[in-house]
Amino acid sequence: MKAESRFNLEEWCGLLRYDGVVPQASPPSDRALLRSDAERNRRRILAAARKLIAERGLGVGYHEIAQEADVGVGTVYRRFPTRDRLFQELFQDRVAAVVAIAEEALTIEDPWLGLCLFMQRDFELQSADRGLREFLLGRVDSPDLARRSRERIQPLVTRLVERAQEAGRLRPDVGQSDIAIILAMIGNLIDSSLHVDPDLWRRYLAIVLDGIQRGDLRDELPGKPPDQPQLDRILPGWVPPRRGQGAPRDPESAPRRGAARSSARS
Amino acid sequence: MKAESRFNLEEWCGLLRYDGVVPQASPPSDRALLRSDAERNRRRILAAARKLIAERGLGVGYHEIAQEADVGVGTVYRRFPTRDRLFQELFQDRVAAVVAIAEEALTIEDPWLGLCLFMQRDFELQSADRGLREFLLGRVDSPDLARRSRERIQPLVTRLVERAQEAGRLRPDVGQSDIAIILAMIGNLIDSSLHVDPDLWRRYLAIVLDGIQRGDLRDELPGKPPDQPQLDRILPGWVPPRRGQGAPRDPESAPRRGAARSSARS
DNA sequence: GTGAAAGCGGACGGCAGTGTCAACTTCCTC
DNA sequence: GAGGAAGTTGACACTGCCGTCCGCTTTCAC
């Protein structure tokens, strides 16, 4: 069982206690006071959205959220005229959790272990929340929103990378952005394989970590290669369903939505 | 420049001459003879579909294909009542090309090199054709279609893997399906990064190959980590645009489409 | 040249998701 | 407990894509 030696370290590290609940973000402080019923509905909407989006990603429709929250669509639109407004509210605590994970990882003595652990914990978080994966990748209407979140995490990752390099355990030609790409790549694998083998990503994380480390300490890979039926269920889920218009229209143009013409309220 | 020693081998191997053109699949042989104008339109539709699908993936609409082919929608539907019918026609030569690559890779003396080269050439093919990536992953209406194609490739990959393991260059705990997953993972990276840095995938392929090899011969990584603006353009393209209904409804149920109720022609 | 089978085209109805708005309800203040 | 501001609701109009259908055109065999 030594195979997992690198991957269950948190057990004896006793660190990183994030377990899904976070000290409720700011109560009605900056935002104007809402009437009691409005506030109640607002919470219900957030709860519903959190649940649906964690399961199915940022694409869930307002109507569905409204239904889950037992509220009219109009209410959802009134409270969150923009999807981004909703996402911001939803994910600020999740982003904080990722930041916390990175900070804790920085306190671990062995820098390489710290980096590995950060990635592992991050994926564990991502496994539980499809919306978070998509949010951090920036598939929201205003790219800035997610970028700002990523900017809170990046410096910490940079530090993790540098530490591991200084310790001579990480290849010197690996940059912080490589880690970002790897996080995205494996996050994607999680999307596709979660429903078949929720731990499959550990295997490929191990491969990639072996690929970016320096030296040749390699344990056995965790888990097993997927068998044929598993593979047949994993692969087709990999690519967007239809409407593959896909090609991420490179130019930073693409306004993508009029963003609620009216209601120029504030 | 020794950095690329493992990745440009085909230059001195002088192998794998696939360059996008393939000896036109069977002419009107098994399929009933078409009237001359119909045959002409058929070709135009295929050409248009090939072009659009290579650029933008399997999601392009029939209407758009019809427009590109300068033909009515009805004609496209008449000729290819099912998307799968069209895809089959479109991709049989591409699949043959992948098979050819694998076969050639099997003739290379050094088995590890053979495996590396197969993957590299496969990605080069995939870089040129987004539709091919999606097709091989099986995101088509009938999963069987793509599965049958994959089944032509798999035994060859299995052989490549075994050879490399027998030579002691590939970790013994890596299976053929691991290669499939890796192909999908990096194919996905290609989707997202092609428009920013068409060769970025080589970097992560190198990382993964280092991760699955045995021993510690590691060259410098090809390319450079993406810089910040590049990253900001790569990540948001990673995840499907909207309609993230995503969660690949596990059960093999999901009929997904009535598949042309009428036209029970044949 | 001609008749009819084969083929063509694109307007049209269907469907799914989105966001709005005018009529109605609830809450809070005085 | 009354008045009005704040909030709620869901039907509806809109959009965009899908696939069909029927009146018209073209080809080909004779």
Side-chain angles (χ1 to χ4, degrees), chain B residues 5 7 15 22 31-32 55 105 112 117 133 141 148 151 156 170 186 200 212 214 245 258:
Chain B
S5 63
F7 295 95
L15 291 171
V22 153
R31 112 180 141 263
E55 279 170 13
W112 171 248
L117 213 59
R133 294 196 284 284
D141 289 345
R148 258 175 292 139
E151 276 167 5
L156 299 168
L170 177 65
I186 296 191
L200 194 65
I212 60 175
R214 209 161 160 227
Q245 55 162 221

Side-chain angles (χ1 to χ4, degrees), chain B:
Chain B
M1 264 310 133
K2 78 191 234 299
E4 315 237 279
S5 63
R6 198 162 55 254
F7 295 95
N8 286 324
L9 288 172
E10 73 279 21
E11 285 179 11
W12 52 266
C13 282
L15 291 171
L16 309 177
R17 291 257 154 274
Y18 177 80
D19 48 14
V21 192
V22 153
Q24 277 306 336
S26 58
S29 58
D30 49 330
R31 112 180 141 263
L33 251 62
L34 291 175
R35 234 170 61 176
S36 64
D37 54 343
E39 181 61 33
R40 176 173 45 79
N41 283 341
R42 188 175 163 282
R43 288 189 199 287
R44 282 159 73 170
I45 291 168
L46 280 174
R50 181 159 284 142
K51 179 184 163 204
L52 291 177
I53 288 180
E55 279 170 13
R56 317 230 303 275
L58 302 182
V60 292
Y62 266 27
H63 284 250
E64 211 170 345
I65 293 174
Q67 192 168 14
E68 174 80 20
D70 208 35
V71 147
V73 229
T75 305
V76 183
Y77 277 105
R78 159 174 274 262
R79 207 49 65 204
F80 302 100
T82 292
R83 286 180 116 73
D84 284 356
R85 204 80 71 84
L86 171 61
F87 295 154
Q88 183 156 33
E89 193 87 27
L90 274 182
F91 289 113
Q92 61 185 18
D93 65 334
R94 285 300 188 275
V95 172
V98 175
V99 168
I101 284 174
E103 279 168 350
E104 300 253 30
L106 275 171
T107 68
I108 293 174
E109 217 160 338
D110 180 338
W112 171 248
L113 242 50
L115 179 61
C116 293
L117 213 59
F118 163 70
M119 295 179 77
Q120 180 191 331
R121 300 302 308 220
D122 181 71
F123 288 130
E124 281 167 4
L125 222 54
Q126 289 195 31
S127 293
D129 192 339
R130 180 179 189 127
L132 178 60
R133 294 196 284 284
E134 301 183 356
F135 178 80
L136 287 178
L137 285 177
R139 195 40 120 170
V140 287
D141 289 345
S142 89
D144 280 353
L145 179 55
R147 202 163 44 69
R148 258 175 292 139
S149 295
R150 267 186 272 130
E151 276 167 5
R152 291 178 54 197
I153 301 170
Q154 261 178 28
L156 299 168
V157 175
T158 302
R159 192 72 203 97
L160 281 166
V161 165
E162 288 169 354
R163 280 204 332 152
Q165 279 168 341
E166 284 158 15
R169 289 288 282 121
L170 177 65
R171 293 167 78 129
D173 50 354
V174 165
Q176 167 268 324
S177 65
D178 287 318
I179 303 295
I181 296 281
I182 290 168
L183 289 176
M185 253 172 53
I186 296 191
N188 208 220
L189 165 66
I190 293 179
D191 266 350
S192 318
S193 64
L194 196 59
H195 63 126
V196 174
D197 177 353
D199 281 326
L200 194 65
W201 59 268
R202 294 178 195 273
R203 186 170 175 83
Y204 301 96
L205 174 58
I207 288 176
V208 171
L209 287 178
D210 268 358
I212 60 175
Q213 75 163 338
R214 209 161 160 227
D216 55 346
L217 294 75
R218 24 191 99 200
D219 294 322
E220 218 175 297
L221 294 176
K224 295 187 308 177
D227 61 27
Q228 196 57 48
Q230 284 180 318
L231 204 56
D232 286 340
R233 281 160 69 211
I234 291 173
L235 293 186
W238 210 292
V239 134
R242 182 60 64 92
R243 198 73 284 106
Q245 55 162 221
R249 277 87 23 110
D250 180 0
E252 2 279 304
S253 54
R256 172 145 286 265
R257 189 166 305 280
R261 271 76 42 80
S262 62
S263 84
R265 236 292 112 81
S266 134

Side-chain angles (χ1 to χ4, degrees), chain A residues 18 20-22 25 50 88-98:
Chain A
Y18 176 81
V21 191
V22 153
R50 180 160 285 141
Q88 183 155 33
E89 194 86 30
L90 273 183
F91 289 113
Q92 60 186 17
D93 66 332
R94 284 299 187 277
V95 172
V98 176

Side-chain angles (χ1 to χ4, degrees), chain A residues 171 173 178 188 204 210 218, chain B residues 171 178 188 204 210 218:
Chain A
R171 292 169 77 130
D173 51 354
D178 287 318
N188 208 218
Y204 301 95
D210 268 357
R218 25 190 98 201
Chain B
R171 293 167 78 129
D178 287 318
N188 208 220
Y204 301 96
D210 268 358
R218 24 191 99 200

Side-chain angles (χ1 to χ4, degrees), chain A residues 170-265:
Chain A
L170 177 64
R171 292 169 77 130
D173 51 354
V174 166
Q176 166 267 323
S177 64
D178 287 318
I179 303 296
I181 296 281
I182 290 168
L183 289 176
M185 252 172 52
I186 295 191
N188 208 218
L189 165 66
I190 293 179
D191 265 349
S192 318
S193 64
L194 197 60
H195 63 124
V196 174
D197 177 353
D199 280 325
L200 194 64
W201 58 268
R202 294 178 195 273
R203 187 171 174 83
Y204 301 95
L205 174 59
I207 288 177
V208 170
L209 288 178
D210 268 357
I212 60 174
Q213 75 162 338
R214 208 158 162 230
D216 55 345
L217 294 77
R218 25 190 98 201
D219 295 322
E220 217 175 298
L221 294 176
K224 296 186 308 178
D227 61 25
Q228 196 56 47
Q230 284 179 318
L231 203 56
D232 286 340
R233 281 160 70 210
I234 291 172
L235 294 185
W238 210 292
V239 134
R242 181 60 64 92
R243 197 76 283 103
Q245 55 162 221
R249 276 90 19 115
D250 182 357
E252 2 279 304
S253 55
R256 177 146 281 264
R257 190 165 306 280
R261 269 78 40 81
S262 63
S263 82
R265 233 301 110 78

